[in-house]
Amino acid sequence: MGEHPRPAGRTAGVPLRDPAHPVSRRAIGLWLLQGVIWTAILTLVAYLLAGWIGNASWLAGGAGDNSWLPGWVAGNIDLLPWLTGIVLLGLTVTESLWRYATHRWELTGDVVYARSGWISRDWVFVPVSRIQTVDKAQGWFERMFGLATVEIRTASHAGSSTIKGLDYEVAAGLAAELARRAEELRDDAT
């Protein structure tokens, strides 16, 4: 049997595999908190919408007549906020755990690998030689959990790549190491 041809777009020096390191477990708490906040906001909107629909006599022309809705919906409109909250809380828990299971990163000698996403997934391979700047960011929710984000900017059309959910110390070390390696490669090229 002969050798299989290399898939189109695959380069010799970059193996296509999953990155080695998961993000911090504390990222689950961060994503849960963010999801709970959005769940509360959207549940409040559902509560206001249910109240508006329940009192929307002006829409149908008669007092309390919601003939524009099926009878079972109009009769149970008060359940809308409850259903919204329950469904969104379930999605929040699922999303947080799934994101933790899929978000990974790795720095090898010459490439930064990152995988993210929970519905659609993105695999990013950034050659260290293409890095222009490396930033470490920490929003106030991230600061509460001791987490940070590393943002890697390159000259490519894709722009920048981010690795979210890293322990602050890991993010600081990664940013420093990437900056050092990129500087060494620039010095070697001159």
Side-chain angles (χ1 to χ4, degrees), residues 52-152:
W52 178 72
I53 291 172
N55 296 322
S57 60
W58 58 273
L59 288 175
D65 177 25
N66 290 323
S67 60
W68 58 282
L69 287 174
W72 64 271
V73 173
N76 295 308
I77 198 67
D78 293 337
L79 295 177
L80 179 64
W82 289 100
L83 291 173
T84 301
I86 290 167
V87 168
L88 290 178
L89 276 177
L91 286 174
T92 294
V93 170
T94 302
E95 178 207 6
S96 300
L97 296 173
W98 202 332
R99 282 177 78 176
Y100 176 74
T102 59
H103 285 196
R104 302 183 69 77
W105 68 277
E106 181 178 354
L107 172 62
T108 64
D110 58 349
V111 176
V112 179
Y113 298 91
R115 182 180 71 187
S116 63
W118 70 285
I119 293 177
S120 62
R121 298 221 177 111
D122 293 321
W123 282 265
V124 179
F125 304 95
V126 180
V128 175
S129 61
R130 307 275 300 178
I131 294 174
Q132 290 187 329
T133 62
V134 179
D135 294 319
K136 177 183 66 205
Q138 192 179 39
W140 56 288
F141 283 148
E142 287 178 311
R143 202 166 31 252
M144 283 175 38
F145 286 90
L147 300 170
T149 297
V150 173
E151 187 169 325
I152 305 164

Side-chain angles (χ1 to χ4, degrees), residues 1-75:
M1 302 245 178
E3 215 175 289
H4 295 293
R6 181 180 309 264
R10 190 164 166 202
T11 60
V14 182
L16 296 177
R17 60 179 172 77
D18 289 339
H21 308 293
V23 296
S24 173
R25 280 194 171 278
R26 291 184 300 219
I28 297 170
L30 172 67
W31 295 326
L32 280 171
L33 177 62
Q34 291 170 336
V36 165
I37 289 170
W38 277 110
T39 296
I41 291 169
L42 293 174
T43 301
L44 176 63
V45 169
Y47 175 77
L48 295 173
L49 181 63
W52 178 72
I53 291 172
N55 296 322
S57 60
W58 58 273
L59 288 175
D65 177 25
N66 290 323
S67 60
W68 58 282
L69 287 174
W72 64 271
V73 173

